Amino acid sequence: MSNAGPSSGQPPEDTATPEVSLGASKRKPNRKKTTQDNNAAAPSASSRRTKRHSSRKNEDATMKGTEETNGESGIRPANDDGAPGLSDNSEEGGPTRVYDEDDDEDDDPFEGSYLGRHGGPSGLSNTLRALSGMMSGMSSRLRVILENLRAKDDPSVQLIALQELSEILLVSTEDNLAGHFSPDQYVKELVALMQPSEFGEENPEMMLLACRCIANLMEALPASTANVVYGGAVPVLCQKLLEIHYIDLAEQALSTLEKISVEFPASIVREGGLTACLTYLDFFATSTQRTAVVTAANCCRNIPEDSFPVVRDVMPILLSVLGSSDQRVVEQGSLCVCRVIESFKYQDTKLEELVSADLLKAVLRLLLPGSTNMIGANIHTQFLRALSITARASPQLSADLLKMNIVDTLYQILTGVSPPSGSQDIAMKIDKNIVMQALIRTPRDQVFETLNVICELLPSVSREGLTFLDDLFDA
């Protein structure tokens, strides 16, 4: 009886089983297998993968043929899932790479940014790209406008450049101008265009547009107000108000000075702007008058001592402003008076020159309850404070206030009713309930300033033998 031997290249099933179990229990780090191992594991693997598609078997056969042909050529064998490995040394007919981000460099700076690498929205990249192009286009356009503003030999080119600059500044904001706009160069040219030419010729339309460009510049870029002031625009603007040749230009100059007066009031006062704003006040419309008195009120904050002659010349105009029929004009004129008195409260001699008897009468007329509603509660309180400063600074003005029946006015402010007539049984004629209700409705600051005026009107007494509440302590 002869031994049964293998008649083909395939080993028997009883010898293939231990090799498969050995390979399953002991996994080597190197996943590359020889051709003999694949042939030995083929029957066992086929029994476990009977449910797989026939195409997978074709892939195994293809990979086995590839291994025999290439040997150790650097092509990685198929993994456990049957997916072919990827290699940079793949030859023709082998597996190819789908994508390698190390070799594919994009020239677009926005797609190569953080948002592009981490799946940012493509719309944001498009927006950033469009914004960058718009800013570069804006910068080039502004440079062309600046060159056209310097074309003194062609006024028509300058006029077109002024129109374009005015439109750009009108729709611009601080965000899109910062870093792309240098105010000094433009202010220099705009101030020059607001003045007559070398031959003394004036172009009112060009002056108006240049003044409007300065106003739009400060509106779009508030930090440029300092550039406008130091660029010499304030004297030119004041001159347009003192010598009015074109009413539109004067109104635009007044509106521009209002924007400057918020941050640089002393510069306007020093250049005569306070007088310029109020000199021809009656020739303007009501809306322009409001702008003028608002500018003057801003200029009256913390007036320097060297500007006293300018303020002294303006006080008669402020007296006439207090008699205006427009409430806004009266309130801003009242602020001017209060701030002037506040600025010179420590200079008694100069304060006596500024405050006249007619001015005190106008103030008392506005303070009298029920006579007019031209001023609000805030202006009312500031007027009372101005009267207390005036009474403290000048005994002569205190006497004038007493002659003007300021006591009756203060009584009505505190009680809300007219003082009783006659001199007998005054206490019986006063209704305490009405007085208390009036005091409750009166603002606290207004009551305090009213009592302060009374204290300043009374003659001073010696402090010896007096007891003050500040010296009392609780037991």
Side-chain angles (χ1 to χ4, degrees), residues 26-47:
K26 187 176 181 180
R27 187 180 300 272
K28 295 182 180 180
N30 187 8
R31 302 175 62 183
K32 183 182 296 186
K33 299 181 181 180
T34 60
T35 306
Q36 292 78 6
D37 294 338
N38 291 334
N39 295 332
S44 176
S46 61
S47 62

Side-chain angles (χ1 to χ4, degrees), residues 109-110 126-139 180:
F110 296 103
N126 296 333
T127 303
L128 293 175
R129 192 180 299 107
L131 183 61
S132 176
M134 184 180 66
M135 288 297 100
S136 60
M138 178 71 71
S139 300
H180 301 274

Side-chain angles (χ1 to χ4, degrees), residues 27 31 33 49 52 56 60 77-84:
R27 187 180 300 272
R31 302 175 62 183
K33 299 181 181 180
R49 300 176 182 176
R52 293 194 177 183
R56 186 61 57 92
D60 294 341
N79 53 18
D80 294 340
D81 296 334

Side-chain angles (χ1 to χ4, degrees), residues 230-374:
Y230 296 125
V234 175
V236 179
L237 294 172
C238 294
Q239 189 66 25
K240 300 304 178 184
L241 290 176
L242 291 173
E243 299 177 0
I244 300 179
H245 299 289
Y246 309 100
I247 189 65
D248 295 338
L249 179 58
E251 291 178 353
Q252 184 61 55
L254 192 58
S255 177
T256 307
L257 283 176
E258 180 189 5
K259 294 178 173 60
I260 299 176
S261 66
V262 177
E263 297 184 11
F264 298 91
S267 301
I268 299 178
V269 176
R270 193 177 300 110
E271 298 295 339
L274 186 59
T275 305
C277 293
L278 299 176
T279 300
Y280 300 104
L281 189 64
D282 296 336
F283 293 94
F284 294 110
T286 303
S287 59
T288 309
Q289 290 182 7
R290 294 176 179 177
T291 304
V293 292
V294 168
T295 306
N298 293 334
C299 294
C300 290
R301 296 196 312 263
N302 301 323
I303 301 176
E305 185 177 356
D306 56 355
S307 301
F308 172 76
V310 177
V311 179
R312 181 182 55 194
D313 297 338
V314 169
M315 294 307 293
I317 303 178
L318 293 178
L319 177 59
S320 63
V321 170
L322 296 181
S324 175
S325 58
D326 186 76
Q327 181 179 4
R328 181 73 181 276
V329 173
V330 173
E331 285 187 348
Q332 296 299 321
S334 302
L335 279 179
C336 292
V337 174
C338 295
R339 290 173 178 176
V340 167
I341 295 176
E342 186 75 21
S343 300
F344 294 94
K345 62 181 178 180
Y346 298 116
Q347 302 175 18
D348 299 347
T349 305
K350 293 181 179 180
L351 194 59
E352 287 184 350
E353 296 184 33
L354 294 175
V355 180
S356 62
D358 294 335
L359 182 61
L360 294 178
K361 290 181 181 179
V363 172
L364 291 177
R365 177 178 57 82
L366 293 173
L367 284 176
L368 188 63
S371 61
T372 179
N373 295 324
M374 300 298 290

Side-chain angles (χ1 to χ4, degrees), residues 86-158:
L86 299 181
S87 174
D88 295 337
N89 298 326
S90 60
E91 298 177 354
E92 184 177 359
T96 58
R97 290 187 308 168
V98 179
Y99 176 73
D100 190 355
E101 62 181 3
D102 294 336
D103 296 337
D104 189 9
E105 294 293 336
D106 199 345
D107 296 333
D108 192 350
F110 296 103
E111 290 185 359
S113 62
Y114 177 83
L115 292 175
R117 293 194 304 269
H118 295 275
S122 59
L124 182 57
S125 299
N126 296 333
T127 303
L128 293 175
R129 192 180 299 107
L131 183 61
S132 176
M134 184 180 66
M135 288 297 100
S136 60
M138 178 71 71
S139 300
S140 60
R141 185 180 179 186
L142 289 173
R143 284 194 298 269
V144 173
I145 291 176
L146 181 60
E147 294 176 358
N148 293 337
L149 291 178
R150 295 171 178 172
K152 298 182 180 180
D153 54 344
D154 195 348
S156 60
V157 175
Q158 291 179 320

